[in-house]
mmCIF file of all heavy atoms in Angstrom:
data_model
loop_
_atom_site.group_PDB
_atom_site.id
_atom_site.type_symbol
_atom_site.label_atom_id
_atom_site.label_comp_id
_atom_site.label_asym_id
_atom_site.label_seq_id
_atom_site.Cartn_x
_atom_site.Cartn_y
_atom_site.Cartn_z
ATOM 1 N N LYS A 178 0.020 0.803 19.700
ATOM 2 C CA LYS A 178 0.803 1.062 18.492
ATOM 3 C C LYS A 178 -0.131 1.158 17.293
ATOM 4 O O LYS A 178 -1.243 0.624 17.300
ATOM 5 C CB LYS A 178 1.801 -0.078 18.252
ATOM 6 C CG LYS A 178 2.773 -0.330 19.397
ATOM 7 C CD LYS A 178 3.902 0.656 19.391
ATOM 8 C CE LYS A 178 4.981 0.245 20.409
ATOM 9 N NZ LYS A 178 6.096 1.210 20.436
ATOM 10 N N ILE A 179 0.353 1.825 16.252
ATOM 11 C CA ILE A 179 -0.411 1.909 15.010
ATOM 12 C C ILE A 179 0.399 1.325 13.864
ATOM 13 O O ILE A 179 1.589 1.615 13.704
ATOM 14 C CB ILE A 179 -0.840 3.357 14.693
ATOM 15 C CG1 ILE A 179 -1.684 3.389 13.416
ATOM 16 C CG2 ILE A 179 0.352 4.295 14.592
ATOM 17 C CD1 ILE A 179 -2.341 4.721 13.126
ATOM 18 N N CYS A 180 -0.272 0.485 13.079
ATOM 19 C CA CYS A 180 0.308 -0.103 11.877
ATOM 20 C C CYS A 180 -0.515 0.383 10.693
ATOM 21 O O CYS A 180 -1.738 0.212 10.670
ATOM 22 C CB CYS A 180 0.274 -1.631 11.971
ATOM 23 S SG CYS A 180 0.775 -2.478 10.454
ATOM 24 N N VAL A 181 0.141 0.984 9.721
ATOM 25 C CA VAL A 181 -0.553 1.578 8.576
ATOM 26 C C VAL A 181 -0.276 0.770 7.315
ATOM 27 O O VAL A 181 0.880 0.509 6.973
ATOM 28 C CB VAL A 181 -0.114 3.044 8.373
ATOM 29 C CG1 VAL A 181 -0.694 3.607 7.078
ATOM 30 C CG2 VAL A 181 -0.552 3.891 9.559
ATOM 31 N N ASP A 182 -1.356 0.369 6.656
ATOM 32 C CA ASP A 182 -1.271 -0.286 5.354
ATOM 33 C C ASP A 182 -1.188 0.809 4.298
ATOM 34 O O ASP A 182 -2.177 1.464 3.979
ATOM 35 C CB ASP A 182 -2.510 -1.160 5.148
ATOM 36 C CG ASP A 182 -2.549 -1.824 3.770
ATOM 37 O OD1 ASP A 182 -1.632 -1.587 2.963
ATOM 38 O OD2 ASP A 182 -3.515 -2.567 3.511
ATOM 39 N N ALA A 183 0.018 1.008 3.777
ATOM 40 C CA ALA A 183 0.255 2.074 2.795
ATOM 41 C C ALA A 183 0.369 1.522 1.381
ATOM 42 O O ALA A 183 1.013 2.128 0.526
ATOM 43 C CB ALA A 183 1.521 2.856 3.159
ATOM 44 N N ALA A 184 -0.291 0.388 1.118
ATOM 45 C CA ALA A 184 -0.201 -0.215 -0.210
ATOM 46 C C ALA A 184 -0.654 0.752 -1.299
ATOM 47 O O ALA A 184 -0.090 0.777 -2.395
ATOM 48 C CB ALA A 184 -1.030 -1.497 -0.263
ATOM 49 N N GLN A 185 -1.690 1.565 -1.002
ATOM 50 C CA GLN A 185 -2.221 2.482 -2.010
ATOM 51 C C GLN A 185 -1.676 3.894 -1.900
ATOM 52 O O GLN A 185 -2.004 4.737 -2.734
ATOM 53 C CB GLN A 185 -3.747 2.521 -1.905
ATOM 54 C CG GLN A 185 -4.425 1.200 -2.177
ATOM 55 C CD GLN A 185 -4.107 0.645 -3.550
ATOM 56 O OE1 GLN A 185 -4.033 1.383 -4.531
ATOM 57 N NE2 GLN A 185 -3.901 -0.651 -3.629
ATOM 58 N N SER A 186 -0.883 4.166 -0.895
ATOM 59 C CA SER A 186 -0.454 5.544 -0.656
ATOM 60 C C SER A 186 1.050 5.756 -0.738
ATOM 61 O O SER A 186 1.500 6.864 -1.059
ATOM 62 C CB SER A 186 -0.956 6.015 0.711
ATOM 63 O OG SER A 186 -0.556 5.126 1.735
ATOM 64 N N ALA A 187 1.849 4.736 -0.456
ATOM 65 C CA ALA A 187 3.305 4.909 -0.473
ATOM 66 C C ALA A 187 3.772 5.306 -1.869
ATOM 67 O O ALA A 187 3.466 4.636 -2.854
ATOM 68 C CB ALA A 187 3.993 3.618 -0.037
ATOM 69 N N GLY A 188 4.493 6.403 -1.945
ATOM 70 C CA GLY A 188 4.959 6.908 -3.223
ATOM 71 C C GLY A 188 4.017 7.919 -3.850
ATOM 72 O O GLY A 188 4.405 8.670 -4.732
ATOM 73 N N VAL A 189 2.767 7.931 -3.393
ATOM 74 C CA VAL A 189 1.767 8.858 -3.919
ATOM 75 C C VAL A 189 1.519 9.987 -2.926
ATOM 76 O O VAL A 189 1.479 11.162 -3.296
ATOM 77 C CB VAL A 189 0.450 8.117 -4.228
ATOM 78 C CG1 VAL A 189 -0.619 9.094 -4.724
ATOM 79 C CG2 VAL A 189 0.676 7.017 -5.256
ATOM 80 N N VAL A 190 1.342 9.626 -1.659
ATOM 81 C CA VAL A 190 1.089 10.590 -0.593
ATOM 82 C C VAL A 190 2.376 10.788 0.214
ATOM 83 O O VAL A 190 3.015 9.799 0.592
ATOM 84 C CB VAL A 190 -0.033 10.085 0.331
ATOM 85 C CG1 VAL A 190 -0.244 11.042 1.496
ATOM 86 C CG2 VAL A 190 -1.318 9.899 -0.454
ATOM 87 N N PRO A 191 2.797 12.004 0.476
ATOM 88 C CA PRO A 191 3.980 12.202 1.328
ATOM 89 C C PRO A 191 3.765 11.581 2.700
ATOM 90 O O PRO A 191 2.726 11.786 3.333
ATOM 91 C CB PRO A 191 4.097 13.727 1.414
ATOM 92 C CG PRO A 191 3.409 14.232 0.189
ATOM 93 C CD PRO A 191 2.272 13.287 -0.049
ATOM 94 N N ILE A 192 4.751 10.798 3.172
ATOM 95 C CA ILE A 192 4.666 10.116 4.469
ATOM 96 C C ILE A 192 5.978 10.328 5.210
ATOM 97 O O ILE A 192 7.053 10.088 4.651
ATOM 98 C CB ILE A 192 4.428 8.602 4.289
ATOM 99 C CG1 ILE A 192 3.129 8.337 3.506
ATOM 100 C CG2 ILE A 192 4.372 7.897 5.645
ATOM 101 C CD1 ILE A 192 2.940 6.873 3.104
ATOM 102 N N ASN A 193 5.882 10.746 6.466
ATOM 103 C CA ASN A 193 7.055 10.853 7.327
ATOM 104 C C ASN A 193 6.695 10.195 8.655
ATOM 105 O O ASN A 193 5.928 10.745 9.441
ATOM 106 C CB ASN A 193 7.457 12.313 7.544
ATOM 107 C CG ASN A 193 8.757 12.455 8.315
ATOM 108 O OD1 ASN A 193 8.893 11.964 9.433
ATOM 109 N ND2 ASN A 193 9.723 13.138 7.720
ATOM 110 N N ILE A 194 7.236 9.008 8.907
ATOM 111 C CA ILE A 194 6.795 8.261 10.084
ATOM 112 C C ILE A 194 7.323 8.871 11.381
ATOM 113 O O ILE A 194 6.694 8.726 12.431
ATOM 114 C CB ILE A 194 7.170 6.771 9.991
ATOM 115 C CG1 ILE A 194 8.676 6.554 9.989
ATOM 116 C CG2 ILE A 194 6.545 6.138 8.758
ATOM 117 C CD1 ILE A 194 9.061 5.089 10.117
ATOM 118 N N THR A 195 8.450 9.556 11.322
ATOM 119 C CA THR A 195 8.974 10.186 12.535
ATOM 120 C C THR A 195 8.077 11.339 12.966
ATOM 121 O O THR A 195 7.720 11.471 14.145
ATOM 122 C CB THR A 195 10.407 10.676 12.309
ATOM 123 O OG1 THR A 195 11.245 9.558 11.977
ATOM 124 C CG2 THR A 195 10.952 11.346 13.560
ATOM 125 N N GLU A 196 7.669 12.164 12.015
ATOM 126 C CA GLU A 196 6.813 13.301 12.332
ATOM 127 C C GLU A 196 5.385 12.871 12.630
ATOM 128 O O GLU A 196 4.722 13.458 13.493
ATOM 129 C CB GLU A 196 6.816 14.294 11.165
ATOM 130 C CG GLU A 196 8.169 14.967 10.937
ATOM 131 C CD GLU A 196 8.146 15.907 9.752
ATOM 132 O OE1 GLU A 196 7.087 15.999 9.082
ATOM 133 O OE2 GLU A 196 9.180 16.541 9.472
ATOM 134 N N SER A 197 4.894 11.864 11.937
ATOM 135 C CA SER A 197 3.494 11.465 12.080
ATOM 136 C C SER A 197 3.254 10.544 13.266
ATOM 137 O O SER A 197 2.129 10.438 13.750
ATOM 138 C CB SER A 197 3.012 10.764 10.807
ATOM 139 O OG SER A 197 3.687 9.520 10.648
ATOM 140 N N GLY A 198 4.288 9.836 13.721
ATOM 141 C CA GLY A 198 4.121 8.907 14.819
ATOM 142 C C GLY A 198 3.672 7.523 14.404
ATOM 143 O O GLY A 198 3.323 6.701 15.256
ATOM 144 N N ILE A 199 3.658 7.223 13.105
ATOM 145 C CA ILE A 199 3.304 5.883 12.636
ATOM 146 C C ILE A 199 4.374 4.904 13.106
ATOM 147 O O ILE A 199 5.557 5.080 12.817
ATOM 148 C CB ILE A 199 3.184 5.860 11.103
ATOM 149 C CG1 ILE A 199 2.035 6.743 10.643
ATOM 150 C CG2 ILE A 199 3.005 4.431 10.598
ATOM 151 C CD1 ILE A 199 1.978 6.962 9.140
#
Side-chain angles (χ1 to χ4, degrees):
K178 302 280 189 181
I179 182 171
C180 173
V181 173
D182 177 359
Q185 298 302 321
S186 54
V189 178
V190 176
I192 301 171
N193 186 303
I194 65 171
T195 299
E196 294 178 358
S197 67
I199 295 171

